[in-house]
Amino acid sequence: MNILVINAGSSSIKYQLIDMNTEMPLSSGIVERIGLEMGLIKHKTFLNGSEEKTVEEFPIPDHGVGLKRVAELLTDEKVGVISDPSEIQAVGHRLVHGGETFTKTVEITDEVKAKVKELFPLAPLHNPANLIGVEVAEKVFPNAKQVGVFDTAFHQSIPEKAYRYAIPEKFYRELRIRKYGFHGTSHKFVSEKAIEYLGNPDAKIITIHIGNGASMAAVKAGACIDTTMGMGPLSGLIMGTRSGDIDPAIIFYLAQQKGFSVEEISDLLNKESGMKGLTELTDMRDIEKCQREGDPVAILALEMYAYRIKQYIGSYTAAMNGVDAIVFTAGVGENKTTVREMVCEDMDYLGITWDEEKDKNRKGDVHEINVDGAKVKVLIIPTNEELEIAKQSLALIK
């Protein structure tokens, strides 16, 4: 059983072909610069323990041309991993926003596509591109079932007291303004791994997905009860270029007193803030290097970054009346020792500790980095959103 996972953006397509018998990727890659003068495909194949890379640069006017070339590479005589596109039984699509309509994985039908279109206003940068990916895949892989996995679905178990905003009810009733949350596929994947590791289906877990985008989730007995991102992906943690939580009065001040347009404020908070705004750097490796060299700007930025995470750990521990484990995942969470150390520092009241030697000597899919005998497990669990999408797709079509 081969499942192709697609994440289509406005000018890109990320993909991974997974052999579900082994749950290992056969191929992965990205199509970039779609619609520009010259496009780019970076394609990898994984066979017999070796990795082979193919890089191609040529005009890619639309997603159809890009995905068609991906299908050709997957079946190529030299670098191909399958003999025919019909060997792909399903295409699992990452769909960012499912609103309140989609609470679980679905087979994509004309009705589903129409509903996704209705949700365009909630995710204008993502849902239209995601839907293009679906429509192109239907043509390139006509024999495969098309499956939609929504970023927001895992968070649909959040209770109303947590997802509603304290604004007039008509804005929820008529415009569906509420917290939806994102990174749900990742939070689901790592929380299930943590539950399995703890051997406790009723475990209270806080998942910390920190990469360029960042969010946290409170997961109780396998169900999400709260998350840091809201109606959009701007709120919550400090991120690579996003501000995270901010006083709304700042927006009014910039607009009314300083003449900023809505577009300028959006660009400021989404693209020019976060760690980039604080340090003028976007790579956490560079920021950590500056911190080690004593740069006060980098020191403050990392302190703010860790402090925001700690605030939410305290909040979610209160919401769940306890915590059994916290989980670090995604690019920063999995790889940045400094961040993990700073987050766990002075958290002993909650039973959260950090062991430097354990952190340095990582092994296995689930790695425990707390002090022996600690009340709360501190875990590093690499996320695998593509595999989670493939697993959900397989479960649906079986």
Side-chain angles (χ1 to χ4, degrees), residues 149 200 395:
V149 180
N200 177 10

Side-chain angles (χ1 to χ4, degrees), residues 286-300 302:
D286 296 331
I287 297 169
E288 285 191 343
K289 181 176 181 292
C290 291
Q291 181 220 33
R292 290 193 298 270
E293 293 171 351
D295 179 5
V297 171
I299 291 170
L300 175 61
L302 281 166

Side-chain angles (χ1 to χ4, degrees), residues 301-327:
L302 281 166
E303 286 176 344
M304 292 172 64
Y305 189 90
Y307 182 71
R308 185 72 58 84
I309 295 171
K310 292 169 81 159
Q311 284 182 299
Y312 273 106
I313 290 175
S315 173
Y316 288 168
T317 300
M320 296 190 291
N321 190 26
V323 60
D324 296 304
I326 65 172
V327 178

Side-chain angles (χ1 to χ4, degrees), residues 85-379:
S86 64
E87 292 179 33
I88 296 173
Q89 285 85 359
V91 181
H93 296 268
R94 181 199 179 211
L95 300 176
V96 167
H97 216 306
E100 293 182 320
T101 304
F102 299 105
T103 61
K104 59 184 179 180
T105 298
V106 296
E107 184 174 347
I108 298 174
T109 61
D110 289 341
E111 182 182 4
V112 168
K113 287 190 288 184
K115 289 288 186 181
V116 171
K117 283 184 180 179
E118 290 177 14
L119 295 168
F120 278 7
L122 293 179
L125 298 179
H126 296 93
N127 271 26
N130 297 159
L131 187 57
I132 289 172
V134 171
E135 293 173 337
V136 168
E138 288 175 330
K139 296 175 182 176
V140 178
F141 304 100
N143 297 320
K145 290 185 182 297
Q146 308 294 323
V147 178
V149 180
F150 294 86
D151 260 12
T152 51
F154 181 60
H155 302 305
Q156 284 299 298
S157 54
I158 294 175
E160 189 170 9
K161 65 182 179 182
Y163 72 67
R164 286 284 298 273
Y165 295 118
I167 58 177
E169 186 186 5
K170 66 179 182 179
F171 288 94
Y172 169 64
R173 188 176 62 252
E174 298 172 11
L175 302 179
R176 315 318 290 175
I177 293 176
R178 53 158 286 182
K179 174 184 286 190
Y180 290 100
F182 301 90
H183 296 143
T185 307
S186 175
H187 289 296
K188 182 177 189 296
F189 180 83
V190 298
S191 62
E192 288 177 349
K193 286 278 188 183
I195 288 170
E196 181 182 354
Y197 178 80
L198 296 171
N200 177 10
D202 298 319
K204 301 169 183 176
I205 298 165
I206 298 172
T207 51
I208 308 169
H209 174 110
I210 42 178
N212 187 51
S215 65
M216 292 170 60
V219 183
K220 188 175 183 180
C224 181
I225 67 161
D226 207 348
T227 189
T228 55
M229 286 181 169
M231 181 172 171
L234 180 60
S235 64
L237 304 181
I238 294 171
M239 307 179 217
T241 64
R242 296 181 192 137
S243 65
D245 289 341
I246 192 169
D247 180 355
I250 296 169
I251 298 172
F252 308 146
Y253 172 76
L254 291 174
Q256 297 168 354
Q257 304 299 323
K258 297 302 176 182
F260 279 64
S261 68
V262 171
E263 291 78 12
E264 287 173 328
I265 295 173
S266 177
D267 283 345
L268 170 68
L269 298 181
N270 282 289
K271 300 177 182 178
E272 301 298 330
S273 295
M275 298 304 273
K276 180 182 179 181
L278 292 169
T279 68
E280 298 185 357
L281 299 169
T282 56
D283 192 317
M284 192 64 83
R285 290 169 294 189
D286 296 331
I287 297 169
E288 285 191 343
K289 181 176 181 292
C290 291
Q291 181 220 33
R292 290 193 298 270
E293 293 171 351
D295 179 5
V297 171
I299 291 170
L300 175 61
L302 281 166
E303 286 176 344
M304 292 172 64
Y305 189 90
Y307 182 71
R308 185 72 58 84
I309 295 171
K310 292 169 81 159
Q311 284 182 299
Y312 273 106
I313 290 175
S315 173
Y316 288 168
T317 300
M320 296 190 291
N321 190 26
V323 60
D324 296 304
I326 65 172
V327 178
F328 289 97
T329 193
V332 175
E334 294 170 29
N335 298 309
K336 295 299 157 210
T337 300
T338 301
V339 171
R340 293 191 293 268
E341 179 184 8
M342 293 178 73
V343 169
C344 295
E345 187 177 23
D346 295 330
M347 296 281 274
D348 48 290
Y349 179 81
L350 293 180
I352 295 171
T353 58
W354 177 77
D355 188 300
E356 182 176 5
E357 287 304 312
K358 286 184 179 179
D359 197 302
K360 287 179 179 177
N361 300 300
R362 290 170 54 183
K363 55 186 176 182
D365 289 340
V366 179
H367 184 64
E368 187 176 318
I369 59 171
N370 52 271
V371 172
D372 287 342
K375 177 183 175 183
V376 176
K377 300 292 186 186
V378 180
L379 308 174

